[in-house]
Amino acid sequence: MIKIPFLRDGPGRRAPLINASILRSTFERRAVLIGAVQGGIGVLLALRLGYLAIAENEKYRLESESNRVNLTLIPPRRGWILDRDGAPLASNRADFRVDLIPERLRNADDTVDRLGVLLALEPARIADIKDRVKTSRGFAPVEVASGLNYEQFAALSVRLPDLPGVVPQRGFSRFYPTASSVGHLIGYVGPASAEEYEKDPNPILITPGYKIGKDGLEKQFEKNLRGVPGARRVEVTAGGRIVRDLETREDVQGAPIRLTIDGPLQDYAARRIGLESGSVVVMDCQTGDLLCMASMPSFDPNSFSDGIGGVEYAMLREDERVPLRNKVLQGLYPPGSTIKPMHCMAFLRAGVKPTETIVCGGGRRIGNRFFNCHSSHGVVDMNKAIAQSCDSYFYHFAQAVGFDAVADMASLFGMGKQFELPVNSQFFGTVPNAAWKEKKFGRPWEPFDTVNASIGQGYYLASPLQLAVQSARLATGKAIKPRLIIDGKADEAPAFDFSPDNIAFIRQAMSDVVNGAGTARRAQLPLPDVKMAGKTGTAQVVSLSISDGRSGPWKYRDHGLFVFFAPFDNPRYAGAVVIEHGGGSGSAYPIARDVMTFMFDPQKGLDALRALEQQWGGTAQQRLEQRYAAYAAERGAAVKPAPRREQEIFDQVEAEARVAARQSEAIASDAIVPRDEANAAIPPADSTAPVAEPQPQSAPAPTPPQLEVSE
Amino acid sequence: MNTATARGIVPAPIARQPWEMLIPLVLLTTFGGLVLYSAGGGAMQPFAQSHFIRFAVFSVMTAIIASLPREAVRVLTYPGYLVVLLMLLGVEIVGQVGGGSQRWLEFGPIRIQPSELMKPAVVLAMARFYETLPNGLIGTWRSAVPSGMLIALPIGLVLLQPDLGTSVAIAFGGVVVMFLAGLPLWWFMSAAGVAIAAAPLAYFFALRDYQRARVTTFLDPENDPLGAGYHIAQSKIAIGSGGIFGKGFNNGTQSHLNYLPEPHTDFVFATMAEEWGLIGGVFVLTMYALILRWGWKVASESQDRFCALLAAGATATIFFYIAINLLMVMGMAPAKGIPLPWMSHGGSSMMTNMICIGLLMMVNRWNAAAPRRGLTG
């Protein structure tokens, strides 16, 4: 039937006659053809159906399951960070929170604005969120708010159908009870950045509400603290509505870590620093446990955990007291006279007798040049040299024994060294010697270098942590190693080969600094049975021609330092206080005194602090919040957003810390003219009255330091 | 049936009916109702009930059409075509006045889509035209131009709506009639050649963005899994996940959880296949095959040209719906709003297909009344 015969109808041929019968047979042939084509399509459809339903059944069944079943990860509760007594320094708080998934938003700005109205967010916060939504990769959640109350949460939940990409949920957020007091030590948490997710493409990282450690111990112990996420399997519609729960697996909370830090002491020390910029380190002399590592001013890690706001960041950046720098580890200062007892240990070891004397006539000739002392001390032995901080004595004996011997002793005491601690960044500082200077500057070691270094000036640089460690080592005669985490018993520190007599001698001399005829008599503990030993230090940062070190622009003032241990005859605690540009050691040792008072008699310590905080206008945290409110009101609209990557902030802070540490290098190229250790130049009668002086910086001016002066 | 008639068990008026088509049709519609029951969330409302009611109403219409006398149909064909054409024009005018594109006219509570009526109307008009065309003129321009106009006018109006799918369906019915009328084969071949050559031009210049998107999505569905390709992907998941025996009545997750778009209209076959599996799919295909086979049988048994062409054209129109819809849901044709006859929820397509069935039954009745007399036309 179906032969090629249709083709004879081709253009080349004329059909001679077309009649009904030809048309009928054409119809029938063509009908068969169309029927065949239709049958063919029918067979094709049947085959295709069979292929989809049989051969590809497995694949499509899986796809249908993955459509239907939605796996929601439940962020694990983070492990707590505890102080040495088990009190939480970082815990978790159950709360209601809201996040955005940028790639699911229909109209980002509009959605954020609506959320802003619903949740009554500040304009600065709204601007931050918009900025973050714009710059984030679409999949990474952006936190809108946490700590919502139930009414806000419910109001938002009912509007969800109009707000795609908005994820409200119950969860836990990180909580730091002592806030800014532990900012630098503990660090903070935040949502994983796109880079972190690319490095570790674990879906938990982009689960809304999940935070990872960004800084400090939170970052160091991320693996321990993280925990195991829970999961909830639910059946969902295409629109995302949950039809029913299929299965839930609870999360496993991360393991806690226990620090050697004494929480109340840390908080006390941080608050006691007051309006100054500085740090307090306290160690346990037996175990090396770090009891306190306070660095102020600081930031509030609670407010950082939902992302660092632009206003907040601008305020912290513009503050010349650098609240973002952990000064315990990243602050480097010329140690000044605080290393004098340690240098004495070097002299003793080199054979100098404690009874050997020199004459200080307001200075001393070394070689063919006369170097000034801050005072004229007359006949000076070792005890008097420490107690009254006579520079001439150190010029003489450093020159006599050679500074290399002194530098070796400094290294032994941990100066210029890093310690094995779980911290992100730790500066080593410098113990200068001839080889170092030659290598660094290509210039030979000169007598004035010995003179400068012998009193802890010149190129000498140390961190507060190093000062505390050297103080502990000096107090005990053992190579105490600082420890931050309680994991088993501390190792017994090996003893140095110092004679007990020498150790006892230094202890006595340092006690005399405080309790005898020394430079820090106002540092005596107001306790009948505990005596503190210590050594003051005043580190100059600019030459006398620029500033007298006590007044004028803040950044030219002398650093105030104090190292200490107590009780002096059987040391339990040792530490260091460094106040940046405090105007001399008088800014440091009252803090050490109060911190140690708190250590032995908390009530007495707190009474002293409360009186001070009334003058200052509240606790450190309260003042931080007031400053933020004032700053936001003034500058709110005109700030640049914070860097998107925390690493940029860290790098910047660290780079600036390195620059700051070199401030004193400028005056190291010649001999220093030492200033009075005890700041006796300030009239004692005025000691409590505010000193009127210009405040060049725009940041809210602190009231002038309350200097305490020895008579 | 013949045996039943012979025994006198079944009364003749009932035995005379084309049960070989009616039984599959009723089974298919009932099955469609079941699927719509499931698509409606396991309830008669909102889909299944109106599906059954429509089928009942249109069955009456079908019976009326089937009983029309031959002369009346011959007389009424052209006026009927003209009326539908005017209605199409009316749609355009109302659309222009109303300031928006629409596809239907409203007469009180009834909403009529003239483009649907046009499908059988074109087939009727074409059959009538070739019946009256003298045999000798086949192959000359007079055999093609007037009939071409009969197709082109409604297509033009429907394209203006714009409704590409329906215009292609109208063209398909008309061209099948032309082909069967015996026009020279090389005309069709050249036309197909021109169409292939013009396709890219049409793609770039004539199609609207959404139509173009459908074509590109069809050619490369993975390209856009959440956009236009989403429909076809979800449909394939529904069919494939059903397997051989399906997930069971009312247990389809793709349809019940809204992953499948339009589970009650365009993608009703996927809804069915998910729950009834390959078995259900083969059943549906078999029912369609039986109905279409009967259609061709009616065409081949026709005594005259008008009946033959009308029956073939009506069958082709029904086939077009089935083929395009099934090719689409199985991912072998671009997504287009063409429903599946007697299964999809929707009045317009039900009406068109029932009119076609009515025309076929009418021809079938004429055939039975006057058996074929040989070579007369």
Side-chain angles (χ1 to χ4, degrees):
Chain A
M1 268 314 136
I2 314 163
K3 286 191 244 156
I4 310 303
F6 322 125
L7 287 180
R8 76 188 156 158
D9 298 342
R13 290 182 61 138
R14 283 279 158 267
L17 177 71
I18 297 174
N19 60 30
S21 111
I22 289 174
L23 286 179
R24 180 80 206 179
S25 80
T26 306
F27 172 83
E28 279 175 1
R29 284 196 312 266
R30 292 188 178 186
V32 169
L33 178 76
I34 292 178
V37 168
Q38 293 187 355
I41 290 176
V43 171
L44 176 73
L45 285 171
L47 290 176
R48 173 74 172 168
L49 183 60
Y51 174 74
L52 288 175
I54 298 170
E56 300 213 287
N57 175 239
E58 191 68 17
K59 169 185 158 195
Y60 286 123
R61 225 181 40 219
L62 279 176
E63 285 191 26
S64 141
E65 277 302 286
S66 83
N67 263 350
R68 176 177 81 94
V69 177
N70 200 338
L71 186 79
T72 323
L73 290 173
I74 302 170
R77 287 156 295 153
R78 230 173 139 72
W80 286 19
I81 299 177
L82 306 171
D83 82 346
R84 59 187 299 112
D85 299 319
L89 296 176
S91 60
N92 302 312
R93 222 170 16 179
D95 73 350
F96 294 106
R97 51 179 296 113
V98 188
D99 297 80
L100 291 177
I101 314 275
E103 67 187 1
R104 295 195 207 146
L105 294 178
R106 228 180 271 135
N107 179 343
D109 280 357
D110 181 56
T111 305
V112 176
D113 285 335
R114 290 182 59 186
L115 289 177
V117 174
L118 268 175
L119 306 175
L121 301 179
E122 297 165 40
R125 177 85 193 135
I126 294 174
D128 281 338
I129 296 168
K130 283 184 184 169
D131 180 66
R132 252 172 250 155
V133 166
K134 239 172 259 149
T135 53
S136 91
R137 308 280 177 88
F139 53 78
V142 171
E143 176 165 337
V144 176
S146 60
L148 300 178
N149 61 37
Y150 182 75
E151 282 70 32
Q152 288 171 310
F153 184 76
L156 183 64
S157 296
V158 298
R159 287 175 178 80
L160 274 192
D162 313 332
L163 297 166
V166 176
V167 187
Q169 59 180 338
R170 267 209 82 126
F172 289 91
S173 62
R174 201 62 160 164
F175 177 56
Y176 305 94
T178 47
S180 56
S181 295
V182 295
H184 291 131
L185 174 68
I186 307 275
Y188 57 96
V189 295
S193 66
E195 290 83 2
E196 280 154 338
Y197 175 65
E198 270 158 20
K199 225 182 286 165
D200 173 19
N202 181 343
I204 187 67
L205 289 185
I206 53 166
T207 303
Y210 182 71
K211 304 279 176 68
I212 62 171
K214 292 287 189 179
D215 192 12
L217 295 168
E218 292 276 24
K219 185 177 184 183
Q220 285 291 320
F221 289 93
E222 173 62 23
K223 283 212 169 62
N224 307 46
L225 295 168
R226 185 176 277 194
V228 182
R232 192 160 81 122
R233 271 160 44 91
V234 291
E235 190 174 82
V236 291
T237 67
R241 192 171 58 80
I242 293 172
V243 180
R244 61 195 160 122
D245 276 309
L246 298 174
E247 185 188 355
T248 306
R249 193 185 71 217
E250 291 297 331
D251 63 314
V252 179
Q253 181 164 13
I257 56 170
R258 204 164 138 214
L259 307 183
T260 59
I261 296 293
D262 180 335
L265 181 72
Q266 168 87 16
D267 189 42
Y268 181 88
R271 285 164 60 185
R272 181 59 186 80
I273 291 170
L275 308 174
E276 301 285 0
S277 165
S279 43
V280 176
V281 182
V282 180
M283 290 173 72
D284 184 309
C285 282
Q286 261 115 52
T287 56
D289 285 0
L290 285 159
L291 301 175
C292 161
M293 287 175 83
S295 162
M296 294 301 273
S298 176
F299 53 86
D300 180 358
N302 288 312
S303 84
F304 271 21
S305 73
D306 54 8
I308 301 168
V311 173
E312 193 176 16
Y313 181 69
M315 176 184 89
L316 297 173
R317 286 283 315 153
E318 286 174 16
D319 190 339
E320 63 178 347
R321 285 160 170 76
V322 280
L324 290 170
R325 185 187 304 164
N326 183 355
K327 297 173 187 104
V328 171
L329 300 167
Q330 293 188 327
L332 287 182
Y333 313 93
S337 306
T338 58
I339 41 75
K340 281 177 179 168
M342 188 256 282
H343 286 182
C344 282
M345 199 54 110
F347 303 158
L348 288 167
R349 208 185 195 196
V352 177
K353 294 274 171 304
T355 47
E356 279 182 52
T357 56
I358 57 131
V359 175
C360 167
R364 194 162 173 85
R365 182 165 298 278
I366 303 290
N368 53 3
R369 189 169 162 191
F370 186 81
F371 294 95
N372 286 317
C373 182
H374 62 85
S375 178
S376 180
H377 292 98
V379 176
V380 180
D381 65 357
M382 191 176 280
N383 184 295
K384 191 175 176 188
I386 292 175
Q388 301 200 358
S389 203
C390 173
D391 296 328
S392 303
Y393 182 87
F394 291 89
Y395 301 159
H396 174 81
F397 284 106
Q399 181 70 20
V401 305
F403 192 72
D404 280 353
V406 176
D408 288 349
M409 181 60 75
S411 297
L412 201 59
F413 274 79
M415 308 298 277
K417 293 272 193 319
Q418 276 187 323
F419 305 107
E420 265 178 59
L421 287 174
V423 295
N424 297 324
S425 166
Q426 192 184 155
F427 286 6
F428 332 8
T430 310
V431 181
N433 60 21
W436 175 86
K437 192 185 176 193
E438 184 68 43
K439 185 164 170 244
K440 173 114 190 196
F441 298 102
R443 287 198 298 270
W445 188 260
E446 310 256 0
F448 72 77
D449 285 319
T450 298
V451 163
N452 283 346
S454 72
I455 58 163
Q457 287 278 177
Y459 299 110
Y460 225 132
L461 284 176
S463 71
L465 176 67
Q466 289 171 333
L467 290 177
V469 170
Q470 70 92 23
S471 168
R473 291 184 177 181
L474 197 59
T476 58
K478 293 180 189 165
I480 304 290
K481 271 195 259 169
R483 183 171 86 133
L484 193 49
I485 304 296
I486 296 185
D487 45 0
K489 248 184 91 65
D491 304 333
E492 185 63 33
F496 295 121
D497 56 348
F498 304 144
S499 81
D501 288 351
N502 287 352
I503 294 172
F505 177 82
I506 299 288
R507 284 178 183 171
Q508 183 58 53
M510 286 176 75
S511 174
D512 289 345
V513 170
V514 177
N515 306 303
T519 50
R521 271 164 284 164
R522 292 284 291 264
Q524 272 180 44
L525 298 185
L527 304 166
D529 47 350
V530 185
K531 283 191 172 151
M532 179 167 78
K535 180 71 195 82
T536 54
T538 294
Q540 290 166 231
V541 292
V542 291
S543 71
L544 203 56
S545 62
I546 295 180
S547 165
D548 68 358
R550 285 185 284 271
S551 56
W554 179 78
K555 63 178 179 174
Y556 295 147
R557 293 186 211 164
D558 297 342
H559 296 311
L561 302 94
F562 190 67
V563 299
F564 58 92
F565 53 85
F568 86 99
D569 47 353
N570 178 26
R572 280 284 332 266
Y573 308 110
V577 175
V578 177
I579 300 302
E580 287 186 331
H581 308 296
S585 62
S587 60
Y589 61 76
I591 294 176
R593 176 196 65 204
D594 288 352
V595 167
M596 275 295 109
T597 305
F598 178 81
M599 196 81 218
F600 291 101
D601 185 345
Q603 195 50 51
K604 224 171 215 170
L606 277 175
D607 291 343
L609 178 61
R610 287 220 183 87
L612 288 168
E613 278 182 343
Q614 272 193 342
Q615 293 179 41
W616 294 333
T619 65
Q621 181 64 23
Q622 287 164 350
R623 294 196 311 270
L624 180 67
E625 280 160 16
Q626 287 159 13
R627 272 195 65 197
Y628 175 77
Y631 188 89
E634 183 194 343
R635 292 285 309 277
V639 296
K640 270 196 270 176
R644 195 167 54 81
R645 294 171 55 234
E646 287 82 6
Q647 196 55 48
E648 284 173 31
I649 299 178
F650 301 149
D651 291 348
Q652 204 167 11
V653 167
E654 185 160 333
E656 285 170 9
R658 288 187 194 288
V659 171
R662 298 184 60 181
Q663 187 186 25
S664 60
E665 213 175 71
I667 55 166
S669 55
D670 199 1
I672 295 236
V673 182
R675 294 199 192 120
D676 187 354
E677 225 24 83
N679 299 294
I682 294 183
D686 291 353
S687 66
T688 51
V691 179
E693 57 189 23
Q695 289 295 328
Q697 63 271 25
S698 62
T703 56
Q706 298 296 309
L707 296 175
E708 306 207 11
V709 178
S710 63
E711 290 84 37
Chain B
M1 272 175 280
N2 287 337
T3 48
T5 320
R7 285 186 202 144
I9 298 166
V10 181
I14 294 175
R16 235 187 4 244
Q17 299 308 316
W19 294 109
E20 55 190 305
M21 175 278 293
L22 286 177
I23 290 170
L25 182 65
V26 171
L27 286 177
L28 194 64
T29 310
T30 311
F31 189 43
L34 276 181
V35 175
L36 291 176
Y37 179 85
S38 170
M44 290 301 282
Q45 291 293 353
F47 307 132
Q49 192 177 30
S50 55
H51 182 72
F52 285 124
I53 291 172
R54 276 187 195 132
F55 184 68
V57 170
F58 288 127
S59 291
V60 172
M61 178 196 72
T62 303
I64 294 169
I65 292 172
S67 59
L68 290 176
R70 185 189 299 239
E71 286 315 311
V73 172
R74 285 207 166 111
V75 170
L76 289 176
T77 293
Y78 284 138
Y81 173 85
L82 209 62
V83 167
V84 178
L85 197 63
L86 288 173
M87 282 163 71
L88 269 180
L89 203 62
V91 170
E92 275 311 307
I93 291 164
V94 171
Q96 290 295 326
V97 172
S101 86
Q102 67 171 47
R103 294 173 181 184
W104 55 81
L105 287 176
E106 279 176 34
F107 298 99
I110 305 165
R111 181 182 276 190
I112 290 183
Q113 210 169 324
S115 56
E116 286 294 332
L117 286 173
M118 192 43 113
K119 290 169 191 167
V122 159
V123 170
L124 268 166
M126 299 286 281
R128 180 86 183 106
F129 171 77
Y130 284 111
E131 180 194 28
T132 52
L133 186 75
N135 292 341
L137 293 180
I138 293 288
T140 68
W141 66 271
R142 271 187 279 178
S143 68
V145 173
S147 60
M149 292 300 291
L150 285 179
I151 306 177
L153 280 174
I155 288 181
L157 286 171
V158 174
L159 272 179
L160 280 175
Q161 287 185 356
D163 185 352
L164 186 67
T166 305
S167 39
V168 172
I170 294 171
F172 183 81
V175 169
V176 164
V177 173
M178 287 169 101
F179 183 68
L180 292 171
L183 298 189
L185 189 69
W186 69 272
W187 288 11
F188 295 95
M189 290 188 163
S190 335
V194 169
I196 290 167
L201 293 176
Y203 174 78
F204 287 113
F205 299 111
L207 292 191
R208 298 182 176 233
D209 280 343
Y210 77 95
Q211 294 166 330
R212 216 174 291 164
R214 278 201 184 117
V215 175
T216 35
T217 302
F218 164 64
L219 294 176
D220 184 12
E222 319 299 323
N223 190 23
D224 186 17
L226 281 174
Y230 177 82
H231 298 190
I232 287 176
Q234 293 300 335
S235 170
K236 278 156 75 180
I237 291 174
I239 296 172
S241 66
I244 298 177
F245 300 106
K247 294 177 184 169
F249 185 49
N250 268 338
N251 287 337
T253 56
Q254 287 286 101
S255 51
H256 286 250
L257 300 177
N258 306 335
Y259 291 98
L260 196 60
E262 309 269 339
H264 59 292
T265 57
D266 285 10
F267 291 94
V268 73
F269 185 82
T271 306
M272 184 284 299
E274 188 184 18
E275 297 188 356
W276 300 87
L278 180 64
I279 305 288
V282 168
F283 170 78
V284 168
L285 287 178
T286 308
M287 295 303 110
Y288 283 130
L290 290 173
I291 293 167
L292 293 172
R293 196 193 63 166
W294 174 78
W296 283 111
K297 192 179 125 231
V298 169
S300 67
E301 283 173 359
S302 304
Q303 306 96 345
D304 57 38
R305 226 165 133 64
F306 176 67
C307 292
L309 292 176
L310 175 59
T315 309
T317 301
I318 297 172
F319 168 79
F320 184 81
Y321 275 93
I322 301 167
I324 296 298
N325 178 278
L326 292 185
L327 285 170
M328 169 189 76
V329 297
M330 292 190 216
M332 298 192 291
K336 184 64 211 96
I338 291 194
L340 189 62
W342 300 297
M343 291 197 70
S344 287
H345 180 256
S348 301
S349 80
M350 176 81 92
M351 180 180 71
T352 311
N353 288 297
M354 289 303 272
I355 290 174
C356 289
I357 286 292
L359 293 174
L360 283 166
M361 286 174 75
M362 175 183 79
V363 172
N364 187 45
R365 188 173 57 81
W366 296 345
N367 292 347
R372 193 173 160 189
R373 283 157 298 163
L375 300 175
T376 51

